Amino acid sequence: MDGKRWTVQDRFDNEIYLTNERWEHIIAPENHPEMTGYEEHLKDTIKSGQRTQDSLVPNKYYYRKSFDNLPDGNNYIVTVVIFKMNVDEEGNSTPNNFIVTAYQNFIYR
């Protein structure tokens, strides 16, 4: 078992996955417990949210999407995705794009 919880495609046809380990990290009490119960929102954020590239780390992207039903005055889910490639012994490369973290935030519209 590879530990993948799920995989979705973004608007640009990139496959992006979340591992069980990263999900447990995200919802841990010391991190972003507000994400508990919002896993489908996270998937939707990857599938159709706005994507921006990190200015210092070119393979790091932020996906964000607004939602009207988030708690504590938050209105966006933000998730951080790292884009990488795996290369096998024959030199064939395959995408390895994964979620690092996700959280809720208030972003002025």
Side-chain angles (χ1 to χ4, degrees), residues 19-105:
T19 64
N20 290 312
E21 184 276 330
R22 287 285 88 197
W23 180 246
E24 292 304 318
H25 165 85
I26 290 167
I27 63 171
E30 65 275 10
N31 294 323
H32 310 291
E34 74 278 3
M35 287 299 295
T36 303
Y38 292 92
E39 192 169 359
E40 290 302 315
H41 288 64
L42 175 55
K43 288 180 185 178
D44 196 29
T45 299
I46 296 296
K47 290 179 188 177
S48 62
Q50 179 185 9
R51 182 178 83 170
T52 55
Q53 188 175 23
D54 188 278
S55 60
L56 298 176
V57 182
N59 67 323
K60 181 192 281 187
Y61 289 83
Y62 297 89
Y63 288 75
R64 70 178 189 211
K65 185 169 182 178
S66 65
F67 294 93
D68 293 330
N69 61 343
L70 300 177
D72 303 326
N74 293 315
N75 62 350
Y76 275 83
I77 288 185
V78 180
T79 186
V80 180
V81 177
I82 299 296
F83 279 67
K84 287 188 167 188
M85 297 296 281
N86 285 336
V87 180
D88 64 18
E89 297 85 31
E90 290 86 36
N92 301 311
S93 60
T94 55
N96 183 31
N97 311 321
F98 55 92
I99 296 170
V100 176
T101 194
Y103 53 92
Q104 297 179 16
N105 201 354

